[in-house]
Amino acid sequence: MQRIPLTLTLSPGGRGKWAVIAQILLLTLAPPAAAASFSPQDPPMLADQVRYGLIPPVRQRMPDEPLIVDLEAKGRDLGRSGGWIRSFITQRRNSRIAVLYGYARMVGYTAKREIVPDILKDLTVVDGRDFTLTLRAGHRWSDGAPFTSDDIRYWWEDVANNPMLSPSGPPRFMLVDGKPPEVSFPDAVTARFRWQEPNPYFLPALASARPPFIARPAHYLKRFHARYTGEAEMAPLLARYKVRNWAALHNALDDMFRMENPDEPTLQPWMAISKGTGTHLLFQRNPYYHRFDSRGMQLPYADGLDVTVMAGGLIPAQVATGKADLQAEGLTFSQVPVLVSGERAGDYRTLLWPEGKAAEIALYPNLNYNDPVWRSLLRDVRFRRALSMGIDRRIINRSLFFGLAQESGVDVLPSSPLFKPERNGIWTGYDPKRAAALLDEIGLKRKRGELYRELPDGRPLEVIVETAGEKPEISDALQIIAETWRDVGVRLLMRTVDRDVLRNRVYAGQTMMAVWGGWDNGIPDPDSIPEELAPMTQENFSWPKWGQYYQTSGSAGEPIDMPIPQELMDIARRWRHTTDETERRALWSALLDIHADQIFAIGVVSKTPQPIAVTNRLHNVPDKGLWLWDPGAYLGVYRPDEFFFVDARPADPEPAGIHRRED
């Protein structure tokens, strides 16, 4: 890829990762040799629209300085335009697939997890606190309207700082010590954000799997905003959409992540179109997309995404009969034999990418559980250590993953620069005698002849573990854990609930223990945000109410009332206020050491293989990768807009017929 320059001015203590990235970028400023023959080309699908004047030719649609991708330098083939990528999702709200696979961001991660400009032409960072964003002159939204700094201004002034649309004020990643930045817009292609102290959250937020969309299509949304549209003009819109006020209308139509409003313009490679149904979603190429290959062919190569909503249990059979071109959702490792057996008939291949989370299966004792007796026990580190040592991870790995997973607690993966081998194995080895001794030490007695122990108040020691039940491997793992816990006198009861119900129950303190994945980012470096390791978010099931308290500045949840979690919070705050890489590395190490010792989450296995089915007709899909939500957006960092069909033909305007084979 031709990396557009990222200018970084660093303080003496702020060198390290950013300095390395700056050097890499400076070495790649010269355009690739192939760019000398760059000649913008219209995708065949758009030829008729250009011919009949529905859209201008590509030279008038492209930015003055498009992002030119040197595929050959990346080891990829120059592709051909055409075809629709068929895929399945398990629920309608997962229409976010278009934004994840599209992965157009102001700045984005490369496959090596380096942040580089994407939608932005340039980015200047001074001392980690002064950010100047430079847009591409001539860049346009998918409807052809100019994309300028006014769209960022609209988000900042009319969305993030409007009490009707953002009751809590600007999002937390925009605040440093509770203070927002100074924001200015010197011209149509420049936006500047200046904080008094470094803000390490800003760029990772912009590059995240679910970005904050700091630019909104102002020309479209202003008609639904009370500042720009009067009551009389707004009234029929409120009646049409059956909402109570303008803010509800604005929120309903401003849906840039799930793209459920096909009328809202986007900057993604594919845009939603309204020809789909409730269970069939279509995302068609954006005529104004800013990326081109080195010959001048406008990306994406594929004309669109053809997405069908289907129950997860039915998806493997659809894949095996060749009805998906790129599929990961709904596939689990237990289905690999079925997938492999169908490869020849379905004309696809099955890739196995290791999960990039800190653990694929982890148990989260809820330290904010409402029951005071259980809460006290869950907060006792001896109990958490005993439960961890009562798990035979080797059996789980061999029985469920054929030994291909990694047996570990919740920890960074070996590919992370923060990994320390000596951390792995602390309190995670299978040792039922030691586990039983710790339970005895706590006072959890097992009466003669009884299988299970009792709580101090006489109730049976029954650990209720709640799961969303979305992967059969998790239920199978819990059954194995139940057997080994029984040997030390602990009864495990499993309860399956809907994903959203599970989250809400955890947040409310109604769940004793939940099973989930480990930290999203299992490969952090010293500059990665350590938010998941401290009580800074309710999404960490170990301490949801403490996370709520932090996220809402004390208006919800509960203040931290344990010394070690408070220490984690203090370390995370110190990390935020330093730009020195050596200090950040030391702070990260301290956080990881505490977690390894305290077992706030009980990891079982990590690096479990995620199957990805890819039709043999679709090229440029890497054989090896890391299946990671953030940073990564799953397939997003591998740029699906560069995937292409080798048998692509001049595209039809509809997905029907796109997958016909040539006779």
Side-chain angles (χ1 to χ4, degrees), residues 380-382 384-386 388 410-411 422-428 434 438 519 564 567 589-601:
D380 191 324
V381 67
R382 296 172 297 177
R384 301 194 299 272
R385 290 170 176 168
S388 180
V410 177
D411 193 8
E422 58 269 27
R423 235 188 251 118
N424 192 28
I426 300 178
W427 308 114
T428 57
R434 196 175 180 191
L438 283 175
W519 311 316
I564 295 180
E567 182 182 355
S589 184
L591 290 169
L592 293 170
D593 288 346
I594 291 173
H595 274 271
D597 181 62
Q598 292 293 309
I599 312 292
F600 290 118

PDB file of all heavy atoms in Angstrom, residues 380-382 384-386 388 410-411 422-428 434 438 519 564 567 589-601:
ATOM      1  N   ASP A 380     -12.519 -13.486  47.345  1.00  0.00           N
ATOM      2  CA  ASP A 380     -11.407 -14.150  48.026  1.00  0.00           C
ATOM      3  C   ASP A 380     -10.504 -14.790  46.957  1.00  0.00           C
ATOM      4  O   ASP A 380     -10.914 -15.708  46.243  1.00  0.00           O
ATOM      5  CB  ASP A 380     -11.943 -15.225  48.975  1.00  0.00           C
ATOM      6  CG  ASP A 380     -10.875 -15.773  49.913  1.00  0.00           C
ATOM      7  OD1 ASP A 380      -9.700 -15.904  49.478  1.00  0.00           O
ATOM      8  OD2 ASP A 380     -11.198 -16.079  51.063  1.00  0.00           O
ATOM      9  N   VAL A 381      -9.277 -14.308  46.844  1.00  0.00           N
ATOM     10  CA  VAL A 381      -8.383 -14.786  45.791  1.00  0.00           C
ATOM     11  C   VAL A 381      -8.109 -16.281  45.922  1.00  0.00           C
ATOM     12  O   VAL A 381      -7.882 -16.969  44.922  1.00  0.00           O
ATOM     13  CB  VAL A 381      -7.068 -13.984  45.796  1.00  0.00           C
ATOM     14  CG1 VAL A 381      -6.249 -14.258  47.062  1.00  0.00           C
ATOM     15  CG2 VAL A 381      -6.240 -14.290  44.554  1.00  0.00           C
ATOM     16  N   ARG A 382      -8.180 -16.819  47.144  1.00  0.00           N
ATOM     17  CA  ARG A 382      -7.947 -18.247  47.327  1.00  0.00           C
ATOM     18  C   ARG A 382      -9.024 -19.058  46.612  1.00  0.00           C
ATOM     19  O   ARG A 382      -8.738 -20.121  46.041  1.00  0.00           O
ATOM     20  CB  ARG A 382      -7.929 -18.589  48.822  1.00  0.00           C
ATOM     21  CG  ARG A 382      -6.782 -17.946  49.599  1.00  0.00           C
ATOM     22  CD  ARG A 382      -6.953 -18.163  51.100  1.00  0.00           C
ATOM     23  NE  ARG A 382      -8.177 -17.525  51.593  1.00  0.00           N
ATOM     24  CZ  ARG A 382      -8.612 -17.606  52.854  1.00  0.00           C
ATOM     25  NH1 ARG A 382      -7.923 -18.328  53.745  1.00  0.00           N
ATOM     26  NH2 ARG A 382      -9.719 -16.983  53.236  1.00  0.00           N
ATOM     27  N   ARG A 384     -10.771 -18.102  43.905  1.00  0.00           N
ATOM     28  CA  ARG A 384     -10.550 -17.999  42.462  1.00  0.00           C
ATOM     29  C   ARG A 384      -9.372 -18.869  42.034  1.00  0.00           C
ATOM     30  O   ARG A 384      -9.416 -19.529  40.982  1.00  0.00           O
ATOM     31  CB  ARG A 384     -10.310 -16.535  42.065  1.00  0.00           C
ATOM     32  CG  ARG A 384     -11.471 -15.599  42.431  1.00  0.00           C
ATOM     33  CD  ARG A 384     -11.349 -14.251  41.731  1.00  0.00           C
ATOM     34  NE  ARG A 384     -10.137 -13.523  42.071  1.00  0.00           N
ATOM     35  CZ  ARG A 384     -10.015 -12.688  43.099  1.00  0.00           C
ATOM     36  NH1 ARG A 384     -11.045 -12.501  43.929  1.00  0.00           N
ATOM     37  NH2 ARG A 384      -8.878 -12.045  43.323  1.00  0.00           N
ATOM     38  N   ARG A 385      -8.319 -18.911  42.846  1.00  0.00           N
ATOM     39  CA  ARG A 385      -7.175 -19.763  42.524  1.00  0.00           C
ATOM     40  C   ARG A 385      -7.554 -21.235  42.578  1.00  0.00           C
ATOM     41  O   ARG A 385      -7.128 -22.035  41.739  1.00  0.00           O
ATOM     42  CB  ARG A 385      -6.032 -19.473  43.499  1.00  0.00           C
ATOM     43  CG  ARG A 385      -5.368 -18.112  43.300  1.00  0.00           C
ATOM     44  CD  ARG A 385      -4.430 -17.785  44.434  1.00  0.00           C
ATOM     45  NE  ARG A 385      -3.720 -16.522  44.220  1.00  0.00           N
ATOM     46  CZ  ARG A 385      -3.007 -15.893  45.162  1.00  0.00           C
ATOM     47  NH1 ARG A 385      -2.903 -16.440  46.380  1.00  0.00           N
ATOM     48  NH2 ARG A 385      -2.401 -14.755  44.894  1.00  0.00           N
ATOM     49  N   ALA A 386      -8.357 -21.586  43.554  1.00  0.00           N
ATOM     50  CA  ALA A 386      -8.775 -22.986  43.685  1.00  0.00           C
ATOM     51  C   ALA A 386      -9.592 -23.417  42.473  1.00  0.00           C
ATOM     52  O   ALA A 386      -9.387 -24.509  41.920  1.00  0.00           O
ATOM     53  CB  ALA A 386      -9.583 -23.170  44.972  1.00  0.00           C
ATOM     54  N   SER A 388      -9.447 -22.176  39.516  1.00  0.00           N
ATOM     55  CA  SER A 388      -8.552 -22.235  38.362  1.00  0.00           C
ATOM     56  C   SER A 388      -7.738 -23.527  38.361  1.00  0.00           C
ATOM     57  O   SER A 388      -7.600 -24.186  37.318  1.00  0.00           O
ATOM     58  CB  SER A 388      -7.621 -21.024  38.359  1.00  0.00           C
ATOM     59  OG  SER A 388      -6.745 -21.063  37.258  1.00  0.00           O
ATOM     60  N   VAL A 410      -6.005 -16.143  31.396  1.00  0.00           N
ATOM     61  CA  VAL A 410      -6.221 -14.947  30.592  1.00  0.00           C
ATOM     62  C   VAL A 410      -4.924 -14.149  30.611  1.00  0.00           C
ATOM     63  O   VAL A 410      -4.537 -13.569  31.622  1.00  0.00           O
ATOM     64  CB  VAL A 410      -7.390 -14.111  31.148  1.00  0.00           C
ATOM     65  CG1 VAL A 410      -7.559 -12.831  30.338  1.00  0.00           C
ATOM     66  CG2 VAL A 410      -8.676 -14.923  31.134  1.00  0.00           C
ATOM     67  N   ASP A 411      -4.242 -14.125  29.481  1.00  0.00           N
ATOM     68  CA  ASP A 411      -2.936 -13.463  29.393  1.00  0.00           C
ATOM     69  C   ASP A 411      -2.697 -13.063  27.943  1.00  0.00           C
ATOM     70  O   ASP A 411      -3.389 -13.538  27.031  1.00  0.00           O
ATOM     71  CB  ASP A 411      -1.824 -14.413  29.869  1.00  0.00           C
ATOM     72  CG  ASP A 411      -0.493 -13.694  30.105  1.00  0.00           C
ATOM     73  OD1 ASP A 411      -0.465 -12.442  30.054  1.00  0.00           O
ATOM     74  OD2 ASP A 411       0.520 -14.385  30.323  1.00  0.00           O
ATOM     75  N   GLU A 422       7.180 -16.805  32.058  1.00  0.00           N
ATOM     76  CA  GLU A 422       7.058 -17.163  33.470  1.00  0.00           C
ATOM     77  C   GLU A 422       5.691 -16.822  34.043  1.00  0.00           C
ATOM     78  O   GLU A 422       5.315 -17.303  35.115  1.00  0.00           O
ATOM     79  CB  GLU A 422       8.158 -16.471  34.298  1.00  0.00           C
ATOM     80  CG  GLU A 422       8.176 -14.947  34.197  1.00  0.00           C
ATOM     81  CD  GLU A 422       9.076 -14.446  33.081  1.00  0.00           C
ATOM     82  OE1 GLU A 422       9.278 -15.194  32.098  1.00  0.00           O
ATOM     83  OE2 GLU A 422       9.573 -13.309  33.198  1.00  0.00           O
ATOM     84  N   ARG A 423       4.924 -15.985  33.333  1.00  0.00           N
ATOM     85  CA  ARG A 423       3.589 -15.642  33.803  1.00  0.00           C
ATOM     86  C   ARG A 423       2.617 -16.791  33.560  1.00  0.00           C
ATOM     87  O   ARG A 423       1.679 -17.001  34.318  1.00  0.00           O
ATOM     88  CB  ARG A 423       3.088 -14.394  33.067  1.00  0.00           C
ATOM     89  CG  ARG A 423       2.659 -13.277  33.997  1.00  0.00           C
ATOM     90  CD  ARG A 423       2.002 -12.166  33.192  1.00  0.00           C
ATOM     91  NE  ARG A 423       2.862 -11.010  33.139  1.00  0.00           N
ATOM     92  CZ  ARG A 423       3.369 -10.483  32.050  1.00  0.00           C
ATOM     93  NH1 ARG A 423       3.108 -11.026  30.873  1.00  0.00           N
ATOM     94  NH2 ARG A 423       4.145  -9.432  32.103  1.00  0.00           N
ATOM     95  N   ASN A 424       2.846 -17.514  32.475  1.00  0.00           N
ATOM     96  CA  ASN A 424       1.947 -18.606  32.109  1.00  0.00           C
ATOM     97  C   ASN A 424       2.151 -19.779  33.066  1.00  0.00           C
ATOM     98  O   ASN A 424       3.262 -20.210  33.315  1.00  0.00           O
ATOM     99  CB  ASN A 424       2.215 -19.043  30.668  1.00  0.00           C
ATOM    100  CG  ASN A 424       1.137 -19.967  30.150  1.00  0.00           C
ATOM    101  OD1 ASN A 424       0.002 -19.881  30.592  1.00  0.00           O
ATOM    102  ND2 ASN A 424       1.492 -20.837  29.232  1.00  0.00           N
ATOM    103  N   GLY A 425       1.082 -20.271  33.598  1.00  0.00           N
ATOM    104  CA  GLY A 425       1.173 -21.404  34.512  1.00  0.00           C
ATOM    105  C   GLY A 425       0.962 -21.045  35.963  1.00  0.00           C
ATOM    106  O   GLY A 425       0.791 -21.922  36.815  1.00  0.00           O
ATOM    107  N   ILE A 426       0.984 -19.737  36.284  1.00  0.00           N
ATOM    108  CA  ILE A 426       0.723 -19.332  37.669  1.00  0.00           C
ATOM    109  C   ILE A 426      -0.748 -19.585  37.972  1.00  0.00           C
ATOM    110  O   ILE A 426      -1.627 -18.984  37.357  1.00  0.00           O
ATOM    111  CB  ILE A 426       1.068 -17.844  37.884  1.00  0.00           C
ATOM    112  CG1 ILE A 426       2.543 -17.588  37.579  1.00  0.00           C
ATOM    113  CG2 ILE A 426       0.725 -17.410  39.292  1.00  0.00           C
ATOM    114  CD1 ILE A 426       2.942 -16.136  37.714  1.00  0.00           C
ATOM    115  N   TRP A 427      -1.026 -20.475  38.861  1.00  0.00           N
ATOM    116  CA  TRP A 427      -2.372 -20.813  39.302  1.00  0.00           C
ATOM    117  C   TRP A 427      -3.239 -21.412  38.184  1.00  0.00           C
ATOM    118  O   TRP A 427      -4.459 -21.463  38.311  1.00  0.00           O
ATOM    119  CB  TRP A 427      -3.093 -19.594  39.898  1.00  0.00           C
ATOM    120  CG  TRP A 427      -2.327 -18.880  40.964  1.00  0.00           C
ATOM    121  CD1 TRP A 427      -1.823 -17.628  40.894  1.00  0.00           C
ATOM    122  CD2 TRP A 427      -1.995 -19.383  42.261  1.00  0.00           C
ATOM    123  NE1 TRP A 427      -1.177 -17.297  42.065  1.00  0.00           N
ATOM    124  CE2 TRP A 427      -1.271 -18.359  42.936  1.00  0.00           C
ATOM    125  CE3 TRP A 427      -2.228 -20.581  42.945  1.00  0.00           C
ATOM    126  CZ2 TRP A 427      -0.782 -18.501  44.223  1.00  0.00           C
ATOM    127  CZ3 TRP A 427      -1.740 -20.722  44.245  1.00  0.00           C
ATOM    128  CH2 TRP A 427      -1.024 -19.692  44.863  1.00  0.00           C
ATOM    129  N   THR A 428      -2.636 -21.854  37.096  1.00  0.00           N
ATOM    130  CA  THR A 428      -3.443 -22.425  36.007  1.00  0.00           C
ATOM    131  C   THR A 428      -3.127 -23.892  35.746  1.00  0.00           C
ATOM    132  O   THR A 428      -3.793 -24.513  34.916  1.00  0.00           O
ATOM    133  CB  THR A 428      -3.243 -21.632  34.693  1.00  0.00           C
ATOM    134  OG1 THR A 428      -1.860 -21.626  34.347  1.00  0.00           O
ATOM    135  CG2 THR A 428      -3.754 -20.215  34.825  1.00  0.00           C
ATOM    136  N   ARG A 434      -4.086 -29.223  45.703  1.00  0.00           N
ATOM    137  CA  ARG A 434      -3.835 -27.854  46.165  1.00  0.00           C
ATOM    138  C   ARG A 434      -5.121 -27.039  46.157  1.00  0.00           C
ATOM    139  O   ARG A 434      -5.361 -26.224  47.049  1.00  0.00           O
ATOM    140  CB  ARG A 434      -2.789 -27.201  45.274  1.00  0.00           C
ATOM    141  CG  ARG A 434      -2.173 -25.944  45.861  1.00  0.00           C
ATOM    142  CD  ARG A 434      -1.060 -25.445  44.960  1.00  0.00           C
ATOM    143  NE  ARG A 434      -0.441 -24.238  45.484  1.00  0.00           N
ATOM    144  CZ  ARG A 434       0.401 -23.476  44.804  1.00  0.00           C
ATOM    145  NH1 ARG A 434       0.738 -23.826  43.552  1.00  0.00           N
ATOM    146  NH2 ARG A 434       0.913 -22.397  45.325  1.00  0.00           N
ATOM    147  N   LEU A 438      -6.925 -25.202  49.464  1.00  0.00           N
ATOM    148  CA  LEU A 438      -7.321 -23.794  49.546  1.00  0.00           C
ATOM    149  C   LEU A 438      -8.784 -23.665  49.960  1.00  0.00           C
ATOM    150  O   LEU A 438      -9.140 -22.785  50.758  1.00  0.00           O
ATOM    151  CB  LEU A 438      -7.097 -23.104  48.196  1.00  0.00           C
ATOM    152  CG  LEU A 438      -5.661 -22.740  47.842  1.00  0.00           C
ATOM    153  CD1 LEU A 438      -5.591 -22.179  46.421  1.00  0.00           C
ATOM    154  CD2 LEU A 438      -5.108 -21.716  48.838  1.00  0.00           C
ATOM    155  N   TRP A 519      -9.729 -10.833  27.205  1.00  0.00           N
ATOM    156  CA  TRP A 519      -9.606  -9.469  26.706  1.00  0.00           C
ATOM    157  C   TRP A 519      -9.607  -9.493  25.189  1.00  0.00           C
ATOM    158  O   TRP A 519      -9.001 -10.361  24.559  1.00  0.00           O
ATOM    159  CB  TRP A 519      -8.323  -8.828  27.207  1.00  0.00           C
ATOM    160  CG  TRP A 519      -8.101  -8.970  28.679  1.00  0.00           C
ATOM    161  CD1 TRP A 519      -9.013  -8.806  29.682  1.00  0.00           C
ATOM    162  CD2 TRP A 519      -6.875  -9.341  29.330  1.00  0.00           C
ATOM    163  NE1 TRP A 519      -8.439  -9.049  30.906  1.00  0.00           N
ATOM    164  CE2 TRP A 519      -7.120  -9.381  30.716  1.00  0.00           C
ATOM    165  CE3 TRP A 519      -5.592  -9.636  28.868  1.00  0.00           C
ATOM    166  CZ2 TRP A 519      -6.139  -9.694  31.649  1.00  0.00           C
ATOM    167  CZ3 TRP A 519      -4.604  -9.958  29.789  1.00  0.00           C
ATOM    168  CH2 TRP A 519      -4.877  -9.982  31.165  1.00  0.00           C
ATOM    169  N   ILE A 564      -6.786  -4.015  45.542  1.00  0.00           N
ATOM    170  CA  ILE A 564      -6.041  -4.412  44.344  1.00  0.00           C
ATOM    171  C   ILE A 564      -6.703  -3.901  43.070  1.00  0.00           C
ATOM    172  O   ILE A 564      -6.014  -3.378  42.187  1.00  0.00           O
ATOM    173  CB  ILE A 564      -5.818  -5.930  44.321  1.00  0.00           C
ATOM    174  CG1 ILE A 564      -4.914  -6.336  45.491  1.00  0.00           C
ATOM    175  CG2 ILE A 564      -5.200  -6.377  43.003  1.00  0.00           C
ATOM    176  CD1 ILE A 564      -4.609  -7.803  45.601  1.00  0.00           C
ATOM    177  N   GLU A 567      -5.705  -0.485  42.753  1.00  0.00           N
ATOM    178  CA  GLU A 567      -4.327  -0.386  42.271  1.00  0.00           C
ATOM    179  C   GLU A 567      -4.276  -0.515  40.749  1.00  0.00           C
ATOM    180  O   GLU A 567      -3.527   0.211  40.078  1.00  0.00           O
ATOM    181  CB  GLU A 567      -3.475  -1.472  42.928  1.00  0.00           C
ATOM    182  CG  GLU A 567      -2.002  -1.421  42.529  1.00  0.00           C
ATOM    183  CD  GLU A 567      -1.182  -2.542  43.144  1.00  0.00           C
ATOM    184  OE1 GLU A 567      -1.732  -3.314  43.953  1.00  0.00           O
ATOM    185  OE2 GLU A 567       0.020  -2.656  42.803  1.00  0.00           O
ATOM    186  N   SER A 589       3.365  -4.333  32.290  1.00  0.00           N
ATOM    187  CA  SER A 589       3.874  -5.537  32.944  1.00  0.00           C
ATOM    188  C   SER A 589       3.299  -5.679  34.350  1.00  0.00           C
ATOM    189  O   SER A 589       2.946  -6.783  34.780  1.00  0.00           O
ATOM    190  CB  SER A 589       5.402  -5.491  32.989  1.00  0.00           C
ATOM    191  OG  SER A 589       5.926  -6.685  33.522  1.00  0.00           O
ATOM    192  N   ALA A 590       3.194  -4.558  35.050  1.00  0.00           N
ATOM    193  CA  ALA A 590       2.625  -4.596  36.401  1.00  0.00           C
ATOM    194  C   ALA A 590       1.163  -5.046  36.361  1.00  0.00           C
ATOM    195  O   ALA A 590       0.724  -5.860  37.201  1.00  0.00           O
ATOM    196  CB  ALA A 590       2.746  -3.218  37.046  1.00  0.00           C
ATOM    197  N   LEU A 591       0.403  -4.539  35.400  1.00  0.00           N
ATOM    198  CA  LEU A 591      -0.995  -4.947  35.273  1.00  0.00           C
ATOM    199  C   LEU A 591      -1.112  -6.441  34.999  1.00  0.00           C
ATOM    200  O   LEU A 591      -1.922  -7.144  35.620  1.00  0.00           O
ATOM    201  CB  LEU A 591      -1.660  -4.162  34.135  1.00  0.00           C
ATOM    202  CG  LEU A 591      -1.907  -2.671  34.359  1.00  0.00           C
ATOM    203  CD1 LEU A 591      -2.318  -2.004  33.052  1.00  0.00           C
ATOM    204  CD2 LEU A 591      -2.984  -2.455  35.416  1.00  0.00           C
ATOM    205  N   LEU A 592      -0.298  -6.934  34.083  1.00  0.00           N
ATOM    206  CA  LEU A 592      -0.363  -8.351  33.719  1.00  0.00           C
ATOM    207  C   LEU A 592       0.090  -9.245  34.870  1.00  0.00           C
ATOM    208  O   LEU A 592      -0.472 -10.333  35.085  1.00  0.00           O
ATOM    209  CB  LEU A 592       0.490  -8.603  32.478  1.00  0.00           C
ATOM    210  CG  LEU A 592      -0.020  -7.941  31.190  1.00  0.00           C
ATOM    211  CD1 LEU A 592       1.030  -8.046  30.082  1.00  0.00           C
ATOM    212  CD2 LEU A 592      -1.331  -8.584  30.736  1.00  0.00           C
ATOM    213  N   ASP A 593       1.093  -8.812  35.610  1.00  0.00           N
ATOM    214  CA  ASP A 593       1.558  -9.599  36.763  1.00  0.00           C
ATOM    215  C   ASP A 593       0.455  -9.723  37.813  1.00  0.00           C
ATOM    216  O   ASP A 593       0.257 -10.793  38.400  1.00  0.00           O
ATOM    217  CB  ASP A 593       2.794  -8.944  37.378  1.00  0.00           C
ATOM    218  CG  ASP A 593       4.040  -9.096  36.512  1.00  0.00           C
ATOM    219  OD1 ASP A 593       4.019  -9.924  35.582  1.00  0.00           O
ATOM    220  OD2 ASP A 593       5.022  -8.363  36.755  1.00  0.00           O
ATOM    221  N   ILE A 594      -0.254  -8.628  38.048  1.00  0.00           N
ATOM    222  CA  ILE A 594      -1.336  -8.650  39.039  1.00  0.00           C
ATOM    223  C   ILE A 594      -2.436  -9.600  38.593  1.00  0.00           C
ATOM    224  O   ILE A 594      -2.956 -10.397  39.385  1.00  0.00           O
ATOM    225  CB  ILE A 594      -1.883  -7.227  39.270  1.00  0.00           C
ATOM    226  CG1 ILE A 594      -0.841  -6.370  39.995  1.00  0.00           C
ATOM    227  CG2 ILE A 594      -3.183  -7.269  40.071  1.00  0.00           C
ATOM    228  CD1 ILE A 594      -1.214  -4.900  40.114  1.00  0.00           C
ATOM    229  N   HIS A 595      -2.800  -9.531  37.319  1.00  0.00           N
ATOM    230  CA  HIS A 595      -3.864 -10.409  36.833  1.00  0.00           C
ATOM    231  C   HIS A 595      -3.453 -11.876  36.901  1.00  0.00           C
ATOM    232  O   HIS A 595      -4.269 -12.739  37.242  1.00  0.00           O
ATOM    233  CB  HIS A 595      -4.243 -10.030  35.395  1.00  0.00           C
ATOM    234  CG  HIS A 595      -5.269  -8.945  35.321  1.00  0.00           C
ATOM    235  ND1 HIS A 595      -6.619  -9.181  35.317  1.00  0.00           N
ATOM    236  CD2 HIS A 595      -5.126  -7.591  35.280  1.00  0.00           C
ATOM    237  CE1 HIS A 595      -7.284  -8.045  35.256  1.00  0.00           C
ATOM    238  NE2 HIS A 595      -6.400  -7.056  35.229  1.00  0.00           N
ATOM    239  N   ALA A 596      -2.200 -12.173  36.582  1.00  0.00           N
ATOM    240  CA  ALA A 596      -1.740 -13.563  36.648  1.00  0.00           C
ATOM    241  C   ALA A 596      -1.814 -14.090  38.073  1.00  0.00           C
ATOM    242  O   ALA A 596      -2.101 -15.273  38.303  1.00  0.00           O
ATOM    243  CB  ALA A 596      -0.314 -13.665  36.113  1.00  0.00           C
ATOM    244  N   ASP A 597      -1.571 -13.230  39.038  1.00  0.00           N
ATOM    245  CA  ASP A 597      -1.574 -13.641  40.440  1.00  0.00           C
ATOM    246  C   ASP A 597      -2.977 -13.675  41.041  1.00  0.00           C
ATOM    247  O   ASP A 597      -3.299 -14.563  41.830  1.00  0.00           O
ATOM    248  CB  ASP A 597      -0.689 -12.695  41.257  1.00  0.00           C
ATOM    249  CG  ASP A 597      -0.621 -13.081  42.722  1.00  0.00           C
ATOM    250  OD1 ASP A 597      -0.133 -14.193  43.025  1.00  0.00           O
ATOM    251  OD2 ASP A 597      -1.076 -12.283  43.571  1.00  0.00           O
ATOM    252  N   GLN A 598      -3.814 -12.731  40.643  1.00  0.00           N
ATOM    253  CA  GLN A 598      -5.117 -12.576  41.288  1.00  0.00           C
ATOM    254  C   GLN A 598      -6.250 -13.347  40.607  1.00  0.00           C
ATOM    255  O   GLN A 598      -7.315 -13.535  41.194  1.00  0.00           O
ATOM    256  CB  GLN A 598      -5.486 -11.090  41.344  1.00  0.00           C
ATOM    257  CG  GLN A 598      -4.608 -10.279  42.277  1.00  0.00           C
ATOM    258  CD  GLN A 598      -4.817 -10.668  43.726  1.00  0.00           C
ATOM    259  OE1 GLN A 598      -5.946 -10.724  44.226  1.00  0.00           O
ATOM    260  NE2 GLN A 598      -3.714 -10.941  44.419  1.00  0.00           N
ATOM    261  N   ILE A 599      -6.062 -13.761  39.364  1.00  0.00           N
ATOM    262  CA  ILE A 599      -7.057 -14.564  38.649  1.00  0.00           C
ATOM    263  C   ILE A 599      -8.446 -13.896  38.697  1.00  0.00           C
ATOM    264  O   ILE A 599      -9.430 -14.494  39.135  1.00  0.00           O
ATOM    265  CB  ILE A 599      -7.141 -16.001  39.217  1.00  0.00           C
ATOM    266  CG1 ILE A 599      -5.764 -16.601  39.371  1.00  0.00           C
ATOM    267  CG2 ILE A 599      -7.985 -16.882  38.295  1.00  0.00           C
ATOM    268  CD1 ILE A 599      -5.057 -16.868  38.070  1.00  0.00           C
ATOM    269  N   PHE A 600      -8.515 -12.651  38.274  1.00  0.00           N
ATOM    270  CA  PHE A 600      -9.818 -11.987  38.214  1.00  0.00           C
ATOM    271  C   PHE A 600     -10.701 -12.620  37.141  1.00  0.00           C
ATOM    272  O   PHE A 600     -11.924 -12.519  37.205  1.00  0.00           O
ATOM    273  CB  PHE A 600      -9.639 -10.489  37.945  1.00  0.00           C
ATOM    274  CG  PHE A 600      -9.054  -9.742  39.107  1.00  0.00           C
ATOM    275  CD1 PHE A 600      -7.833  -9.098  39.000  1.00  0.00           C
ATOM    276  CD2 PHE A 600      -9.721  -9.693  40.322  1.00  0.00           C
ATOM    277  CE1 PHE A 600      -7.288  -8.405  40.079  1.00  0.00           C
ATOM    278  CE2 PHE A 600      -9.187  -9.004  41.410  1.00  0.00           C
ATOM    279  CZ  PHE A 600      -7.969  -8.356  41.285  1.00  0.00           C
ATOM    280  N   ALA A 601     -10.088 -13.233  36.146  1.00  0.00           N
ATOM    281  CA  ALA A 601     -10.807 -14.032  35.159  1.00  0.00           C
ATOM    282  C   ALA A 601     -10.054 -15.347  35.020  1.00  0.00           C
ATOM    283  O   ALA A 601      -8.823 -15.379  34.999  1.00  0.00           O
ATOM    284  CB  ALA A 601     -10.882 -13.315  33.815  1.00  0.00           C
TER     285      ALA A 601
END
